[in-house]
Amino acid sequence: MNIHEYQAKQLLRRYGVPVPRGEVAHNPAEAETIAEELDGPVWVVKAQIHAGGRGKAGGVKICRSVKEVVASADKLLGSRLVTHQTGPQGKEVKKVYIEQGSDIARELYVAQLIDRKTGGVAVIASTEGGMDIEEVAAKHPDKIIHLSLSPATPMRAFQARNIAFQLDLKEREVHKFVRLLMSMNKAFRELDATLVEINPLVVTKSNRLIALDCKMTFDENALFRHHDIQDMRDEHEMDPLELEASRHDLNYVKLEGDIGCMVNGAGLAMATMDIIQHYGGQPANFMDIAGAATKERVACAFKLIFNDPGVKGILVNVFGGMMRCNSIAEGIVGAAREVGLDRPLVVRLEGTNVELGRRILQESGLPIVTATTLSDAAGKIVNAVQGRA
Ligand code: ADP
Ligand code: MG
């Protein structure tokens, strides 16, 4: 799960990481009140969207008066911001963050994230902050500092100090950096984050260290432990289909292809997507109806897939274990009738009550193609979608 910069800064502040004073505004009037309470002479108005690269795209405005703050907020609010991370359609700005401007001497980069290779925590740092870190890594790999931490133990002061020296920090900055990096690590571990990225971490002209931007993502499976973070979810930022699916407890992930997949269990989902690709097709999504799905949930999942205009055909591949095949078939038939089946639908069922399930599909009178094996099913749906009957 992602959150906004202003929320990430609230969390950092709670852990003692210095961030500029600021507050979020939903309209120009709020922006004015906030700006008046902050001291000048420089204010920054920042578009709050779940995407980076705002600076280059005009989503970060440096202002020199309250009047300018109001004008910038007015301009940004309601506009669509297109950055290299939003895709060409951009994202609508619904909130802006108004904060105090910093007198920047240096912009550094620090991040802590789950390291899939080691199963630990990777700490990444660079003197080249404020830029796209992927670009720095590609062009100047020597400028990336990397440290791998064990997941079980907190970061130690000597480890942070070592990074501070590699970043060429001055003596009076080192201890501030060490404290900051250790607080950041505490936040990362306690909040079950998968990423905490501060870019830029600035050193001011008066040798202070301040997190000027922060991105945080969290492990969804640990969110039940963090109700305050759950409350930070901005539904406006989510894919509408993914949001609807999460409301029904369905695991839905949108992909790039055109074959909708309804499966049960992540393993079967992976295998189904692999075999679709093997037959030359591309999955449009990953819809896992796992667990004890009822007829109603099956129908809901089916309709969600169906409502995606990118889906040109649907493959249902379900193993009825706890769930019986007749309930699955009833859910599919009911939903297919309701939406008016106008695209190819291939169904492969196995497991409990499979005969009954197949009979329900056959007797429905709907143009549903049944399949026996996984290859049979994948071959049929790929052929149908690509126009080879
Ligand atoms: P993004 O990463 O989305 O482009 P940032 O928050 O990193 O957005 O802002 C981009 C740049 O704007 C920063 O690298 C910094 O130079 C400048 N900036 C952002 N916030 C402030 C601030 N409070 N004071 C001064 N400059 C800022
Ligand atoms: Mg940034």
Tab-separated table of all heavy atoms in Angstrom, residues 291-313:
chain	number	residue	atom	x	y	z
A	291	GLY	N	-10.093	-19.336	-1.283
A	291	GLY	CA	-10.817	-19.632	-0.054
A	291	GLY	C	-12.230	-20.098	-0.321
A	291	GLY	O	-12.546	-20.627	-1.377
A	292	ALA	N	-13.074	-19.905	0.660
A	292	ALA	CA	-14.432	-20.410	0.557
A	292	ALA	C	-15.302	-19.415	-0.198
A	292	ALA	O	-16.098	-18.686	0.378
A	292	ALA	CB	-14.985	-20.658	1.951
A	293	ALA	N	-15.124	-19.369	-1.500
A	293	ALA	CA	-15.906	-18.425	-2.294
A	293	ALA	C	-17.345	-18.917	-2.411
A	293	ALA	O	-17.591	-20.089	-2.640
A	293	ALA	CB	-15.295	-18.286	-3.675
A	294	THR	N	-18.243	-18.002	-2.258
A	294	THR	CA	-19.656	-18.350	-2.430
A	294	THR	C	-20.043	-18.047	-3.871
A	294	THR	O	-19.298	-17.399	-4.597
A	294	THR	CB	-20.516	-17.480	-1.518
A	294	THR	OG1	-20.237	-16.120	-1.848
A	294	THR	CG2	-20.204	-17.722	-0.047
A	295	LYS	N	-21.232	-18.502	-4.229
A	295	LYS	CA	-21.796	-18.219	-5.543
A	295	LYS	C	-21.778	-16.712	-5.797
A	295	LYS	O	-21.443	-16.239	-6.881
A	295	LYS	CB	-23.241	-18.741	-5.502
A	295	LYS	CG	-23.968	-18.751	-6.771
A	295	LYS	CD	-25.248	-19.562	-6.624
A	295	LYS	CE	-26.352	-18.739	-5.964
A	295	LYS	NZ	-27.582	-19.510	-5.731
A	296	GLU	N	-22.098	-15.930	-4.762
A	296	GLU	CA	-22.172	-14.473	-4.900
A	296	GLU	C	-20.793	-13.864	-5.175
A	296	GLU	O	-20.658	-12.977	-6.003
A	296	GLU	CB	-22.758	-13.832	-3.621
A	296	GLU	CG	-24.248	-14.069	-3.422
A	296	GLU	CD	-24.585	-15.516	-3.018
A	296	GLU	OE1	-23.725	-16.172	-2.377
A	296	GLU	OE2	-25.686	-15.987	-3.363
A	297	ARG	N	-19.780	-14.385	-4.476
A	297	ARG	CA	-18.437	-13.842	-4.693
A	297	ARG	C	-17.919	-14.218	-6.077
A	297	ARG	O	-17.235	-13.430	-6.725
A	297	ARG	CB	-17.475	-14.314	-3.608
A	297	ARG	CG	-17.431	-13.350	-2.439
A	297	ARG	CD	-16.431	-13.786	-1.403
A	297	ARG	NE	-15.061	-13.576	-1.826
A	297	ARG	CZ	-14.047	-14.371	-1.507
A	297	ARG	NH1	-14.255	-15.441	-0.783
A	297	ARG	NH2	-12.840	-14.115	-1.905
A	298	VAL	N	-18.237	-15.426	-6.525
A	298	VAL	CA	-17.833	-15.854	-7.868
A	298	VAL	C	-18.464	-14.915	-8.893
A	298	VAL	O	-17.807	-14.421	-9.811
A	298	VAL	CB	-18.253	-17.318	-8.130
A	298	VAL	CG1	-18.051	-17.681	-9.593
A	298	VAL	CG2	-17.481	-18.268	-7.228
A	299	ALA	N	-19.736	-14.633	-8.690
A	299	ALA	CA	-20.450	-13.753	-9.621
A	299	ALA	C	-19.829	-12.363	-9.613
A	299	ALA	O	-19.630	-11.742	-10.657
A	299	ALA	CB	-21.927	-13.687	-9.241
A	300	CYS	N	-19.490	-11.878	-8.437
A	300	CYS	CA	-18.903	-10.547	-8.303
A	300	CYS	C	-17.546	-10.496	-9.013
A	300	CYS	O	-17.261	-9.558	-9.763
A	300	CYS	CB	-18.773	-10.228	-6.821
A	300	CYS	SG	-17.767	-8.817	-6.484
A	301	ALA	N	-16.734	-11.527	-8.806
A	301	ALA	CA	-15.415	-11.589	-9.454
A	301	ALA	C	-15.577	-11.607	-10.970
A	301	ALA	O	-14.868	-10.912	-11.704
A	301	ALA	CB	-14.672	-12.838	-8.992
A	302	PHE	N	-16.531	-12.392	-11.426
A	302	PHE	CA	-16.758	-12.512	-12.857
A	302	PHE	C	-17.147	-11.156	-13.448
A	302	PHE	O	-16.635	-10.738	-14.487
A	302	PHE	CB	-17.863	-13.542	-13.107
A	302	PHE	CG	-18.041	-13.874	-14.549
A	302	PHE	CD1	-17.255	-14.852	-15.155
A	302	PHE	CD2	-18.968	-13.188	-15.328
A	302	PHE	CE1	-17.409	-15.144	-16.498
A	302	PHE	CE2	-19.121	-13.477	-16.665
A	302	PHE	CZ	-18.351	-14.465	-17.257
A	303	LYS	N	-18.020	-10.453	-12.758
A	303	LYS	CA	-18.476	-9.155	-13.271
A	303	LYS	C	-17.340	-8.136	-13.280
A	303	LYS	O	-17.238	-7.319	-14.190
A	303	LYS	CB	-19.645	-8.641	-12.435
A	303	LYS	CG	-20.954	-9.329	-12.825
A	303	LYS	CD	-22.130	-8.694	-12.134
A	303	LYS	CE	-22.727	-9.642	-11.133
A	303	LYS	NZ	-23.706	-9.067	-10.249
A	304	LEU	N	-16.485	-8.208	-12.265
A	304	LEU	CA	-15.349	-7.280	-12.223
A	304	LEU	C	-14.443	-7.484	-13.430
A	304	LEU	O	-13.991	-6.534	-14.055
A	304	LEU	CB	-14.537	-7.496	-10.944
A	304	LEU	CG	-15.054	-6.792	-9.702
A	304	LEU	CD1	-14.261	-7.232	-8.489
A	304	LEU	CD2	-14.927	-5.290	-9.875
A	305	ILE	N	-14.187	-8.748	-13.758
A	305	ILE	CA	-13.339	-9.039	-14.911
A	305	ILE	C	-14.028	-8.553	-16.179
A	305	ILE	O	-13.442	-7.926	-17.046
A	305	ILE	CB	-13.062	-10.558	-15.022
A	305	ILE	CG1	-12.282	-11.041	-13.800
A	305	ILE	CG2	-12.299	-10.886	-16.301
A	305	ILE	CD1	-11.976	-12.532	-13.822
A	306	PHE	N	-15.301	-8.840	-16.240
A	306	PHE	CA	-16.081	-8.523	-17.420
A	306	PHE	C	-16.152	-7.017	-17.665
A	306	PHE	O	-16.183	-6.555	-18.799
A	306	PHE	CB	-17.493	-9.091	-17.227
A	306	PHE	CG	-18.200	-9.342	-18.502
A	306	PHE	CD1	-18.015	-10.537	-19.184
A	306	PHE	CD2	-19.041	-8.392	-19.040
A	306	PHE	CE1	-18.652	-10.765	-20.368
A	306	PHE	CE2	-19.685	-8.616	-20.236
A	306	PHE	CZ	-19.498	-9.809	-20.902
A	307	ASN	N	-16.182	-6.225	-16.587
A	307	ASN	CA	-16.319	-4.774	-16.718
A	307	ASN	C	-15.037	-4.085	-17.166
A	307	ASN	O	-15.028	-2.884	-17.372
A	307	ASN	CB	-16.762	-4.163	-15.391
A	307	ASN	CG	-18.230	-4.437	-15.146
A	307	ASN	OD1	-18.981	-4.715	-16.075
A	307	ASN	ND2	-18.628	-4.393	-13.885
A	308	ASP	N	-13.951	-4.840	-17.293
A	308	ASP	CA	-12.712	-4.250	-17.788
A	308	ASP	C	-12.769	-4.280	-19.312
A	308	ASP	O	-12.765	-5.349	-19.923
A	308	ASP	CB	-11.534	-5.081	-17.256
A	308	ASP	CG	-10.189	-4.552	-17.760
A	308	ASP	OD1	-10.191	-3.706	-18.676
A	308	ASP	OD2	-9.166	-4.997	-17.244
A	309	PRO	N	-12.840	-3.093	-19.955
A	309	PRO	CA	-12.992	-3.072	-21.414
A	309	PRO	C	-11.805	-3.706	-22.142
A	309	PRO	O	-11.929	-4.092	-23.304
A	309	PRO	CB	-13.126	-1.581	-21.744
A	309	PRO	CG	-12.658	-0.849	-20.544
A	309	PRO	CD	-12.818	-1.745	-19.364
A	310	GLY	N	-10.650	-3.827	-21.450
A	310	GLY	CA	-9.481	-4.436	-22.080
A	310	GLY	C	-9.578	-5.954	-22.197
A	310	GLY	O	-8.781	-6.582	-22.883
A	311	VAL	N	-10.562	-6.540	-21.514
A	311	VAL	CA	-10.681	-8.001	-21.518
A	311	VAL	C	-11.438	-8.463	-22.766
A	311	VAL	O	-12.593	-8.106	-22.972
A	311	VAL	CB	-11.397	-8.491	-20.233
A	311	VAL	CG1	-11.797	-9.946	-20.342
A	311	VAL	CG2	-10.502	-8.278	-19.021
A	312	LYS	N	-10.757	-9.285	-23.598
A	312	LYS	CA	-11.402	-9.746	-24.835
A	312	LYS	C	-11.933	-11.165	-24.697
A	312	LYS	O	-12.654	-11.658	-25.565
A	312	LYS	CB	-10.394	-9.697	-25.984
A	312	LYS	CG	-9.924	-8.291	-26.298
A	312	LYS	CD	-9.548	-8.158	-27.773
A	312	LYS	CE	-8.952	-6.814	-28.106
A	312	LYS	NZ	-7.488	-6.881	-28.236
A	313	GLY	N	-11.535	-11.847	-23.641
A	313	GLY	CA	-12.009	-13.199	-23.401
A	313	GLY	C	-11.671	-13.579	-21.975
A	313	GLY	O	-10.783	-12.985	-21.361
